[in-house]
Amino acid sequence: MAETLYIRLGSAANDRIHWLVYSTVEHEIIASGELADAEQLSHLSEKSQQRNVVVFVPGCDVAIKQLNVPAKSQRAIQQAVPYMLEDELAQDVEQLFFAYANNKNNAYNCSVAVVAHTQMTQWLAWLSNANIRCKAMIPDVLALPQIDNTWQAIMLGEQVLIKQEQWQAHVVDTAMW
């Protein structure tokens, strides 16, 4: 597929949704826009057909962590991580969804994104109700470019997304910025 539909969902159903269609052949944006809320996602249903769909979710809803886990197998690492992070997370680990990255670097053997099951279920329901199937869901802050020894920032609505390194990113309200 030569085109990708990118959709940035909000935290709540009434949040504005940004979208764009990018051509990998022409290396340009073909179409873009905003939807008033999640109910209007069905307007993108036709655009999602015959295209790759990548969904960005608000980085403020996702905890991004890197850890050194004293285990050798991936399975053992994935079993240990929720309990290693238990004191840092605001919810019980059984109420959270853990997504593990395949990347490894010299300092850490585990990169993980953590989101509440209820939030993940809500995003998936919005997409399902609009008949949109996505290939990936990515925290929006991780989509910012990575340039060594340089921070990247962008203002999106009432938030500033800041990326320091590949798996080190933050979201700050514009009032705090």
Side-chain angles (χ1 to χ4, degrees):
M1 291 184 203
E3 296 177 357
T4 303
L5 170 62
Y6 294 95
I7 303 170
R8 184 194 184 257
L9 299 176
S11 298
N14 62 345
D15 288 345
R16 191 166 295 283
I17 294 173
H18 303 273
W19 64 271
L20 68 83
V21 177
Y22 182 79
S23 169
T24 55
V25 173
E26 299 169 14
H27 302 289
E28 66 181 9
I29 296 171
I30 298 172
S32 65
E34 291 183 8
L35 302 174
D37 55 34
E39 284 187 23
Q40 292 189 355
L41 270 171
S42 60
H43 295 288
L44 297 178
S45 182
E46 187 176 323
K47 288 180 179 17
S48 73
Q49 306 305 313
Q50 306 303 316
R51 289 187 173 108
N52 289 322
V53 178
V54 176
V55 173
F56 296 114
V57 296
C60 60
D61 294 335
V62 182
I64 301 166
K65 302 288 185 181
Q66 287 188 301
L67 306 159
N68 275 317
V69 182
K72 296 200 186 315
S73 75
Q74 275 303 114
R75 185 174 179 194
I77 289 172
Q78 291 178 4
Q79 288 177 337
V81 165
Y83 301 99
M84 288 179 69
L85 294 175
E86 195 169 27
D87 292 339
E88 295 180 39
L89 301 171
Q91 290 177 281
D92 190 18
V93 293
E94 283 79 23
Q95 297 174 350
L96 300 170
F97 175 80
F98 292 79
Y100 298 88
N102 290 329
N103 65 329
K104 302 281 188 273
N105 66 35
N106 296 337
Y108 304 100
N109 68 351
C110 181
S111 298
V112 63
V114 185
V115 65
H117 273 293
T118 54
Q119 184 68 63
M120 180 66 83
T121 301
Q122 181 176 322
W123 290 327
L124 292 172
W126 295 343
L127 295 168
S128 177
N129 292 341
N131 197 29
I132 297 173
R133 291 190 194 115
C134 69
K135 296 281 184 187
M137 294 181 93
I138 303 168
D140 53 10
V141 293
L142 296 183
L144 293 174
Q146 179 184 336
I147 301 171
D148 291 338
N149 302 318
T150 305
W151 290 22
Q152 304 299 312
I154 186 170
M155 186 178 294
L156 189 56
E158 297 297 317
Q159 296 177 329
V160 178
L161 285 59
I162 305 164
K163 185 173 182 180
Q164 293 170 263
E165 296 177 14
Q166 184 178 7
W167 274 78
Q168 193 171 17
H170 312 280
V171 178
V172 179
D173 289 332
T174 54
M176 296 277 296
W177 182 255

